[in-house]
Amino acid sequence: MLSPHCHMMPMEWPVNGLHWQDLLVDSPECAMPDEASAWRVSSLLLDELSMRSWPPDVVFWSSLGSAYSGAGKWQLALWALLEAPRAAHLEPNVVSYSSAMTACERVSLWEMVLNLLVEAEQLPEKANAFSYSSAIVACGQVESGWQRALALWSQMISASQPSPNVVAFNATLTALERATCWQLACSLLEQFEDQTRSNLPLTPDALSYSAVATACPWPLGLWWLLRAREKRELKAGPGPWSCLARKMGHDRAWQEALQLLSGPIEGDRLGEVWCSVMWAMEVSGFTSEPPFRVRRDRVHQSKEFSLLDFIVTRVPRGDLSALLATVKRFAGEKEWLKVAGGSKARLLQAVLRPGDRILELGCFVGFSALLMVQRLRRLGGGGKVITCEVNAVSAFVARELIRWAGAEAEIEVRVGLAGDWIATGQLGVPDVVILDHRGARYHEDLLALEPMREHARIIADNVLSPGAPLFLNFVDGRYAIAIHEVDEFLRARADWVVTCSPRLLHRPVQPVPGEFLGFAAEIDRLCWRSSLKAGRVQRQDWVDLEEQLSPVLHQWASKRGLLSWKRRELLH
C-alpha cells in the first residue's frame, strides 16, 4: 500500500480511457463492499493504482478518506483526505475538509475540527453545512462546548452561506441536550417548529423532537414526544422513550413509566423501552419481570433461553458446582458465551476475601456472580453480591439460574444502567467492584463510585479485548494497578484483567491521548453495531481492531512497568 510519505507525480486523469472506478470490475475483492469492509476495498484499490502508476484524483482520495473515517481510522483518514492529495500536487476541496472534520469529530478531537473549519472557510467554495454540523457535534461532546456549538449555529443563521439544514440543527439541539440546557433547546425548537416565525426552509424531524424531549424534565419531554406524533406525525425511536422512563424512575414515578408501554411506541421496539421501565419499577421498590408477550418468538430463540433450558434439564436444583460446570459445557458444545471461565475464573476467585460485599456491573447470565458465591462459601460463608444488568432478558435468565442454584439469598440482580443505580445510593459501600459491562463506561461509573474505601479492590475485565483505553487513562497515577494477561475463555487470544485499588484519588485525571480517543470511539462503534443485527460486524473487524490496539496498550503498560516478564510468569 502507498505510504503516507509517498509523492506521486501529477498525471492527467483518466489514463487510456479508464477511470479509477473501472478497476472495481477487475477486482473480485471489491465487489459490493459493505460499510465494515469499505476501507479494505479502498486500500486494495489504492494498491492496484500504485502498481499501474495511475495517480488517484481528489474524488478518489475523498472516497478513501471517508472509508477510513467510517472504520474509525481517523489518522489514515486525515492522511488520505489532506496530506496525500497535497503530496500529489492536488488541492483538497470542501468535501475533503468536511470528511476530515467528521473523522476528527468521531474521536472527540474538537479543537482539530475547529481548526479544519477555519481552513475550509479559506477555500473558494467555502465550508458547507455538513462542515458546520461536524464542528457543532464535536463542540457538543466537551464540557461547556454547547456555547461554541450555539455560536456556530448562530453564525450559520446570520450568514447567507452555508444554508442551515436539519443536520446542523439537530447537532445543535443535541449539544444543548448534553449540557442539560433544556430551556434553550425548547426555545430553539419552538422557533423553527412554527414556519410563520422562521424565514428559513427548515423543518424539524423526529430527531429534533427526540433531542429536546431527552433534555427536558420528563413531564415536558413526554409532552414534546406526543406533540411530535400528533402535530407532525413523527415517530421517535426507543431512545427518548427509554430516557423518559429512566427519569421517571429517578422521581419514583413508576406508574407513569409503566403507562409508556401502552403509548405510541412501535410494537417491535417495545422490548427496548421495557428495560428502562423495569428499572423505574425496581428502583421504586416493585419487583418486575419482562413481558414475554413482547417479541415472544425472538426472545425464546435467544442464546440466553437456550442456556436456561440446557441447565434445568441437566442440573439438579441447588447444585451450584454442577450448574457452573454445565454453563461451561454449553459454551463449549452449543454456543460460545463470553463468561469468566478458565484463567479469568481463577483470578476472580483469588481476589475475594471472607465476607466481601461485591458490586458487579454487568451480570449477563449470572455466571460470575455464582462463581463468586461459590468462593465466598468456601471461605466460610457471609458476604453478598449485588449485580447490575441493563438487558431485561439477560437479567431474567440470571435470576432463574440463581434460583436454580439456590443462591438467591446471596445474589441480588438489579435491572438497569449501572450509572442510574449508582446515582440512587442504594448499592452500599462495596469491598470489591467488578467492571464487566461496557468498557466505554468503566471510567465514568468508577468515578461515580468515588470516594471509595482505601482497601477497595477494583477488577476490570475485557480491558484489552474489546478494550477499555479510557479506563486505563483514568486509573493511571490515581490507582495502584496490576495487569493480568490471561487467555479468553475457550478462545485462542489474550485479554487483560486489570486489578487496582484507590491510591491518590485527589490527583486530576490526565488528558486522554488522541490515540486512546480514536480507539475508544471505534470500540464503542463496533459494540453498538453488534447490538443491532447479527452479521452487521464481521469477525475480521474485531481482529483488525485488536491488532492495532494491542501494541498501543502493551507499549503504554510497558512504560509503566506493568507488564514485566516476571509478573507475567507469576500471573499465569
Side-chain angles (χ1 to χ4, degrees):
M1 178 176 173
L2 294 174
S3 73
H5 305 289
C6 76
H7 295 274
M8 297 186 303
M9 296 299 293
M11 183 180 295
E12 289 297 324
W13 196 257
V15 178
N16 296 333
L18 289 175
H19 200 268
W20 57 265
Q21 291 98 328
D22 297 321
L23 295 178
L24 289 172
V25 179
D26 301 327
S27 179
E29 295 93 341
C30 298
M32 298 299 292
D34 58 18
E35 180 184 354
S37 60
W39 72 272
R40 297 193 201 92
V41 171
S42 300
S43 297
L44 288 171
L45 187 53
L46 184 58
D47 288 337
E48 185 73 16
L49 290 171
S50 177
M51 289 186 292
R52 300 192 186 194
S53 299
W54 290 350
D57 56 6
V58 173
V59 176
F60 174 83
W61 288 120
S62 295
S63 301
L64 177 61
S66 296
Y68 283 140
S69 174
K73 305 177 185 303
W74 64 275
Q75 298 101 326
L76 285 173
L78 292 185
W79 167 74
L81 291 165
L82 303 177
E83 295 179 26
R86 288 168 180 158
H89 307 293
L90 299 170
E91 287 299 323
N93 55 27
V94 68
V95 176
S96 304
Y97 272 95
S98 296
S99 299
M101 292 169 65
T102 299
C104 294
E105 170 262 308
R106 285 175 171 170
V107 293
S108 303
L109 298 176
W110 65 273
E111 291 177 317
M112 188 176 293
V113 172
L114 293 180
N115 291 335
L116 290 171
L117 180 61
V118 171
E119 292 183 25
E121 284 289 352
Q122 309 305 315
L123 297 174
E125 61 267 43
K126 299 291 184 181
N128 58 26
F130 294 101
S131 303
Y132 273 84
S133 298
S134 295
I136 292 171
V137 171
C139 290
Q141 293 174 348
V142 298
E143 187 175 357
S144 301
W146 67 270
Q147 296 169 325
R148 292 186 180 91
L150 195 58
L152 289 170
W153 172 254
S154 299
Q155 184 177 337
M156 294 183 70
I157 295 295
S158 59
S160 57
Q161 293 292 334
S163 178
N165 62 6
V166 72
V167 176
F169 179 66
N170 290 342
T172 306
L173 291 175
T174 301
L176 295 173
E177 176 261 318
R178 288 177 175 171
T180 64
C181 298
W182 60 270
Q183 297 95 332
L184 286 174
C186 290
S187 177
L188 192 59
L189 180 56
E190 288 174 351
Q191 177 185 351
F192 288 93
E193 187 184 40
D194 187 353
Q195 294 296 312
T196 62
R197 297 172 53 191
S198 173
N199 297 323
L200 296 172
L202 191 155
T203 302
D205 60 12
L207 293 179
S208 310
Y209 286 91
S210 296
V212 174
T214 303
C216 293
W218 68 262
L220 185 56
L222 181 59
W223 181 84
W224 276 115
L225 289 182
L226 294 177
R227 179 179 176 83
R229 186 177 182 88
E230 295 170 1
K231 185 175 181 179
R232 300 284 185 182
E233 297 185 353
L234 298 174
K235 297 180 181 179
W241 295 104
S242 295
C243 182
L244 289 184
R246 289 170 52 216
K247 290 184 177 183
M248 292 170 179
H250 282 288
D251 286 347
R252 307 299 187 268
W254 65 271
Q255 299 96 330
E256 288 81 356
L258 194 58
Q259 290 176 4
L260 292 179
L261 298 178
S262 59
I265 307 174
E266 297 179 17
D268 61 340
R269 313 300 293 274
L270 192 57
E272 300 176 43
V273 182
W274 178 254
C275 296
S276 296
V277 174
M278 284 185 68
W279 135 258
M281 296 180 66
E282 294 197 2
V283 76
S284 303
F286 293 87
T287 304
S288 60
E289 298 293 354
F292 293 113
R293 62 181 180 275
V294 179
R295 300 189 302 177
R296 177 177 298 172
D297 293 338
R298 297 185 187 180
V299 166
H300 283 285
Q301 292 174 3
S302 70
K303 181 191 299 187
E304 291 87 346
F305 274 87
S306 296
L307 171 65
L308 181 58
D309 293 339
F310 193 81
I311 294 294
V312 299
T313 56
R314 290 167 175 81
V315 178
R317 185 183 291 272
D319 192 337
L320 175 56
S321 297
L323 189 148
L324 291 172
T326 306
V327 171
K328 291 187 287 186
R329 177 185 165 192
F330 177 90
E333 297 179 2
K334 299 295 182 179
E335 295 183 78
W336 182 72
L337 299 169
K338 192 168 180 58
V339 295
S343 300
K344 288 188 176 183
R346 292 189 292 272
L347 178 59
L348 182 61
Q349 291 186 322
V351 173
L352 302 184
R353 300 170 186 168
D356 270 339
R357 290 165 294 182
I358 304 166
L359 172 61
E360 180 187 42
L361 307 183
C363 175
F364 190 34
V365 294
F367 181 84
S368 296
L370 289 168
L371 196 68
M372 290 185 284
V373 164
Q374 182 187 57
R375 177 60 176 170
L376 290 174
R377 289 179 179 179
R378 291 173 178 174
L379 291 173
K384 188 174 180 73
V385 179
I386 296 179
T387 179
C388 301
E389 173 57 49
V390 69
N391 186 285
V393 173
S394 296
F396 175 84
V397 172
R399 284 172 173 166
E400 291 298 306
L401 292 179
I402 290 167
R403 291 191 190 104
W404 197 261
E408 59 267 36
E410 298 150 289
I411 303 174
E412 185 177 337
V413 180
R414 304 281 185 93
V415 178
L417 287 173
D420 285 335
W421 279 111
I422 294 171
T424 66
Q426 297 183 16
L427 300 180
V429 182
D431 300 302
V432 180
V433 178
I434 311 295
L435 302 175
D436 193 18
H437 52 318
R438 183 179 172 188
R441 295 196 58 89
Y442 282 5
H443 63 296
E444 297 177 2
D445 292 332
L446 189 55
L447 176 62
L449 288 168
E450 293 180 357
M452 293 177 290
R453 298 175 183 269
E454 293 183 0
H455 66 270
R457 285 147 283 152
I458 316 300
I459 305 171
D461 195 6
N462 306 314
V463 177
L464 182 64
S465 177
L470 299 185
F471 163 76
L472 290 175
N473 185 79
F474 177 82
V475 298
D476 187 19
R478 304 177 71 246
Y479 287 72
I481 309 170
I483 296 178
H484 309 257
E485 190 165 279
V486 298
D487 292 331
E488 183 68 74
F489 178 56
L490 297 180
R491 286 290 185 268
R493 67 170 184 265
D495 192 11
W496 284 1
V497 176
V498 174
T499 56
C500 54
S501 57
R503 186 175 64 177
L504 299 170
L505 297 186
H506 64 277
R507 283 188 177 179
V509 179
Q510 300 182 32
V512 183
E515 201 165 24
F516 275 23
L517 288 171
F519 281 121
E522 175 65 359
I523 292 166
D524 215 27
R525 186 185 73 90
L526 290 180
C527 289
W528 176 76
R529 290 178 57 207
S530 296
S531 67
L532 296 179
K533 290 182 180 179
R536 284 289 186 93
V537 177
Q538 299 178 4
R539 180 174 177 81
Q540 187 61 40
D541 291 308
W542 291 112
V543 173
D544 290 341
L545 175 62
E546 185 174 340
E547 289 178 351
Q548 297 173 61
L549 177 62
S550 181
V552 173
L553 294 188
H554 275 87
Q555 183 181 27
W556 178 92
S558 297
K559 286 182 177 179
R560 291 156 178 79
L562 299 174
L563 272 180
S564 65
W565 178 251
K566 182 178 180 181
R567 171 164 285 175
R568 286 189 182 185
E569 286 182 332
L570 289 173
L571 295 178
H572 282 289

